[in-house]
Amino acid sequence: MQLFEPYAIGTKLTLVNRIMVPAIVTRLATVEGNLTDALIERYLLYARGGAGLVVTEAISVKEQKSGPLLRLNDDNFIPGLKRLTELVHGESDAKIATQLVHFLKIARSGYRQKVEDLSLDDVKEIPGLFACAALRARSAGFDAVELHFAHAYTMSSFLSRYNQRKDKYGGSLENRLRLAKEVVKAARDAVGEESVLGARINGDEFTLGGNTLAQSRVIALRLAESGLDYISISAGGKFEDAIPRHGEALDPYTGYSGSRTMPPNWMPEKVNVYLASDIKKTLTEAGFTTPIVTAGRISTAQVAETIIQNNEADLVAIARPILCDPFWPKKFQEGRDYEILKCIYCNQCRDSEGDFEPVVCVQWKKDKNMTPIASA
């Protein structure tokens, strides 16, 4: 299978296979933004399980009230993350990337800050925040940095058709792209040309009035022109169709768009792969070889292999099936798929995340440390 053959991201980084573990929220960090032993063990399980590239859950570039969320807004966070990367590199052949995010304020009162609410000074601060965090990530030993430009967060909101700013950061698509290009340039200047820098974007927002492939093709093309080393294609996860709950902050994964981010069992297999395939074709026709990552209800290695064989994407991101059984890659590669604890896409893991509870799979037999009993 090509899925299990080494894959090179340009000349910068070679992965042992084409399997990525994308950012998966765990709620295992501290409220101060630090790693815990349980969180380190979670990433080590993914690495030991045979994935080629493990991406951390989103790490905030700014000090903000956010509950249990990792941060990288200060040098004090570097030692803990360096411990993580050293353990991953010491115990596996996996590479590890960090995903960096900037987010806006929300409150249980129903208040939600929008990009139109940011002053020009607020906006101009953002590229520097990403750049500093990216440099810290490199100091911590990460093999790659992924910029979170998808879902409900700040960067995706600037890219979206919902962006109602009246200055040079809103209006036309080229204006809405301005901040993203500034962030990419700042991060690249910080980490250097030799480092792998990627981004995750939405192929479609799946909301009435939001971005579709018509906009995402252009976004991907402009980001490829900016020199990204890979582009990961996600979908949905927007506040605009979130379901309000009295006394709770708005959750962008409760509406239809959220179900497209993490497709449940009533959606077809590979439901979002066409988005990556379309964007890959767009970039290829424009002369770019930027690797494209796809995700969304890809349950088996055989299905993932068809994606590679059909040239629909270059890397395949497997989230919930690897959460369910971290040794999913290793067992498939060794022909032991009959041993795999299979994800049923019930999305109870997603419900735990929405309730700010530790994210586990309901199929696990748990020990006291909330880690799966999964063997190599």
Side-chain angles (χ1 to χ4, degrees), residues 25 32 36 42 76 85 153 157 167 169 183 192 204 215 232 271 273 285 305 314 329:
V25 177
E32 294 80 20
T36 60
R42 179 72 60 87
N76 291 330
T85 61
Y153 310 108
S157 296
D167 59 10
Y169 291 98
V183 167
D204 195 310
Q215 291 75 40
S232 180
V271 64
V273 171
E285 290 176 350
E305 178 69 11
D314 302 288

Side-chain angles (χ1 to χ4, degrees), residues 102 104 114-120 122-124 126-127 130 149-183 205 211 219 238 240:
H102 185 285
L104 300 176
K114 300 180 181 180
V115 296
E116 303 91 78
D117 301 326
L118 298 179
S119 70
L120 191 57
D122 291 333
V123 177
K124 290 185 174 297
I126 293 172
F130 274 97
F149 289 178
H151 308 149
Y153 310 108
T154 306
M155 297 306 301
S156 178
S157 296
F158 270 92
L159 292 168
S160 177
R161 292 178 65 220
Y162 289 111
N163 176 354
Q164 298 298 309
R165 290 186 69 92
K166 303 302 181 185
D167 59 10
K168 64 181 180 180
Y169 291 98
S172 69
L173 180 53
E174 292 300 329
N175 275 0
R176 303 197 311 269
L177 268 157
R178 189 182 306 276
L179 182 61
K181 291 193 290 185
E182 290 176 355
V183 167
E205 292 188 327
N211 284 355
I219 291 168
K238 305 301 292 183
E240 282 75 14

Side-chain angles (χ1 to χ4, degrees), residues 8-214:
I9 300 178
T11 59
K12 301 178 182 180
L13 187 67
T14 298
L15 310 177
V16 294
N17 57 47
R18 295 177 184 244
I19 300 169
M20 171 191 284
V21 179
I24 306 172
V25 177
T26 65
R27 304 298 187 197
L28 294 175
T30 71
V31 293
E32 294 80 20
N34 292 303
L35 284 161
T36 60
D37 289 343
L39 184 49
I40 289 173
E41 182 60 24
R42 179 72 60 87
Y43 290 129
L44 286 175
L45 277 171
Y46 297 155
R48 294 171 189 141
L53 180 63
V54 177
V55 183
T56 69
E57 59 195 87
I59 298 181
S60 178
V61 301
K62 186 175 182 178
E63 183 176 0
Q64 292 175 272
K65 186 176 180 181
S66 58
L69 178 75
L70 292 174
R71 296 211 309 265
L72 200 40
N73 62 287
D74 189 278
D75 288 352
N76 291 330
F77 294 105
I78 294 175
L81 292 167
K82 188 172 181 63
R83 178 182 169 225
L84 168 64
T85 61
E86 288 176 345
L87 285 168
V88 167
H89 292 145
E91 297 188 20
S92 74
D93 294 324
K95 304 299 183 183
I96 184 166
T98 185
Q99 186 188 77
L100 301 179
V101 68
H102 185 285
F103 57 91
L104 300 176
K105 298 174 183 177
I106 56 172
R108 290 190 176 92
S109 65
Y111 169 77
R112 175 171 71 89
Q113 188 180 34
K114 300 180 181 180
V115 296
E116 303 91 78
D117 301 326
L118 298 179
S119 70
L120 191 57
D121 286 343
D122 291 333
V123 177
K124 290 185 174 297
E125 174 191 49
I126 293 172
L129 292 173
F130 274 97
C132 290
L135 183 58
R136 292 184 185 109
R138 183 180 176 187
S139 298
F142 284 98
D143 300 294
V145 171
E146 182 175 288
L147 307 171
H148 197 353
F149 289 178
H151 308 149
Y153 310 108
T154 306
M155 297 306 301
S156 178
S157 296
F158 270 92
L159 292 168
S160 177
R161 292 178 65 220
Y162 289 111
N163 176 354
Q164 298 298 309
R165 290 186 69 92
K166 303 302 181 185
D167 59 10
K168 64 181 180 180
Y169 291 98
S172 69
L173 180 53
E174 292 300 329
N175 275 0
R176 303 197 311 269
L177 268 157
R178 189 182 306 276
L179 182 61
K181 291 193 290 185
E182 290 176 355
V183 167
V184 171
K185 183 180 185 305
R188 174 62 75 196
D189 289 346
V191 301
E193 289 296 331
E194 69 278 10
S195 296
V196 171
L197 183 65
R200 197 169 207 204
I201 68 170
N202 275 347
D204 195 310
E205 292 188 327
F206 290 110
T207 53
L208 186 63
N211 284 355
T212 68
L213 270 169

